[in-house]
Amino acid sequence: LLSLGTGTTSEFDKTYTAEETAKWGALQWMLVIQQMTEAASSYMTDYHLSTVFQDLHSQNNYLRVQENALTGTTTKADDASEANMELLAQVGENLLKKPVSKDNPETYEEALKRFAKLLSDRKKLRANKASY
């Protein structure tokens, strides 16, 4: 299973003072709650799938690809400007060089190549079985 994320920000590392939050209206609170809910859902889904694949001794068959530190305009889903597209392409290029996790030093580039080979081999195997 190859799970492709849309990226997250480091917004949740940000802290607010009581004075700041006291000035928030309902809209600000709803936006913060929505962001927290979406992030928690993404992390919980990844954690659950990762655990299931580990329990099945198939952890090499699951890969979650996601940048977790988007900043600036790269966080805006509605910014399709050429400059932002170039920034996002650079984010993707940089992500390829990062390790998959603290426990897995394999880079995303290596992991994706491994996945592509795995999928290609399985397709060839199915094609060979179908020709009998």
Side-chain angles (χ1 to χ4, degrees), residues 2 60 63 106 108-124:
L2 178 59
N60 289 335
L63 176 64
E106 179 180 43
Y108 280 105
E109 183 174 28
E110 294 165 337
L112 288 167
K113 285 179 181 177
R114 180 178 50 78
F115 251 73
K117 179 163 178 19
L118 177 69
L119 292 172
S120 176
D121 290 349
R122 288 192 179 175
K123 182 178 182 193
K124 288 174 188 173

Side-chain angles (χ1 to χ4, degrees), residues 90-116:
Q90 189 60 52
V91 166
E93 291 290 328
N94 293 341
L95 181 61
L96 287 173
K97 306 300 179 203
K98 289 183 179 181
V100 171
S101 71
K102 290 183 239 177
D103 301 329
N104 182 356
E106 179 180 43
T107 65
Y108 280 105
E109 183 174 28
E110 294 165 337
L112 288 167
K113 285 179 181 177
R114 180 178 50 78
F115 251 73

Side-chain angles (χ1 to χ4, degrees), residues 40-103:
S41 175
S42 174
Y43 287 121
M44 289 304 295
T45 300
D46 178 42
Y47 178 78
H48 175 73
L49 287 170
S50 178
T51 302
V52 167
F53 276 81
Q54 285 177 16
D55 288 346
L56 296 171
H57 305 289
S58 299
Q59 56 268 26
N60 289 335
N61 293 333
Y62 174 72
L63 176 64
R64 172 73 174 172
V65 178
Q66 175 158 287
E67 174 56 62
N68 292 315
L70 294 176
T71 60
T73 60
T74 61
T75 64
K76 299 181 192 274
D78 62 347
D79 185 350
S81 67
E82 187 173 336
N84 199 44
M85 293 296 105
E86 288 174 12
L87 280 172
L88 287 168
Q90 189 60 52
V91 166
E93 291 290 328
N94 293 341
L95 181 61
L96 287 173
K97 306 300 179 203
K98 289 183 179 181
V100 171
S101 71
K102 290 183 239 177
D103 301 329

